[in-house]
């Protein structure tokens, strides 16, 4: 019987070690899994962004600068940041917050911004902070726009 205690203790310590290792690596595995369905790019202008990628919204002004764009490749979730020289909403955008929340994250998209939406541009929710436009699209809003026949990506 004396030999069972070290074996049981060894198994317990080993099992605990495996649990700790799993807890430490799980966030990286989740990030990897989610990240493999994302595309991100930066563009010098709105015109360049729209020429490069069909999914960039057509309402983005051609003269917008410092465009950053992140998208899900398996759905309609999107993030967008652009600088607008005049700091005004693009043509066709309407005042009034939309319904969707941002499901993507990016270091250039301030946390909590998706709770500040003050306008809608196509299926995107938008907030202006000075001359910076932050926009996000929720997958569910994207699906609704597609079903309604909207030409907005």
């Amino acid at each position: 019987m004396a030999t069972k205690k070290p074996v049981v203790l060894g198994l317990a310590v080993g099992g605990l070690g495996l649990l700790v290792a799993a807890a430490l690596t799980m966030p990286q595995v989740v990030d990897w899994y989610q990240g493999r369905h994302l595309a991100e790019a930066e563009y010098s202008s709105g015109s360049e962004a729209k020429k490069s990628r069909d999914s960039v919204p057509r309402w983005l002004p051609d003269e917008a600068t410092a465009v950053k764009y992140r998208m899900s490749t398996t759905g309609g979730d999107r993030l967008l940041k652009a600088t607008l020289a005049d700091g005004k909403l693009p043509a066709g955008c309407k005042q009034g917050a939309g319904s969707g929340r941002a499901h993507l994250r990016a270091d250039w998209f301030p946390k909590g911004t998706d709770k500040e939406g003050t306008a809608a541009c196509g299926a995107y929710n938008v907030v202006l902070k000075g001359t910076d436009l932050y926009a996000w699209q929720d997958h569910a809003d994207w699906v609704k726009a597609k079903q309604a026949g909207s030409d907005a990506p």
Side-chain angles (χ1 to χ4, degrees), residues 9-140:
L9 182 61
L11 288 174
V13 170
L16 181 61
L18 286 174
L19 286 174
V20 169
L24 293 175
T25 59
M26 188 55 87
Q28 289 85 8
V29 170
V30 170
D31 288 347
W32 170 82
Y33 180 76
Q34 291 175 342
R36 66 191 183 113
H37 295 295
L38 296 175
E40 186 167 326
E42 294 185 30
Y43 306 97
S44 60
S45 70
S47 175
E48 179 189 348
K50 292 187 288 188
K51 284 179 189 171
S52 176
R53 191 175 289 277
D54 288 339
S55 61
V56 171
R58 304 295 107 182
W59 53 259
L60 180 68
D62 289 346
E63 57 278 354
T65 60
V67 177
K68 295 182 180 187
Y69 182 69
R70 184 170 225 196
M71 64 173 280
S72 168
T73 60
T74 59
D77 290 313
R78 309 280 190 263
L79 293 179
L80 174 69
K81 178 185 184 280
T83 301
L84 307 177
D86 62 4
K88 295 181 181 176
L89 282 176
C93 296
K94 299 174 184 161
Q95 290 292 336
S99 60
R101 293 279 185 238
H103 298 287
L104 301 179
R105 300 285 177 249
D107 60 355
W108 46 263
F109 196 88
K111 188 175 181 176
T113 297
D114 64 334
K115 295 177 184 170
E116 303 173 14
T118 58
C121 298
Y124 280 75
N125 297 285
V126 175
V127 64
L128 284 170
K129 295 183 178 190
T131 58
D132 288 332
L133 174 139
Y134 293 93
W136 62 97
Q137 179 176 265
D138 172 85
H139 176 77

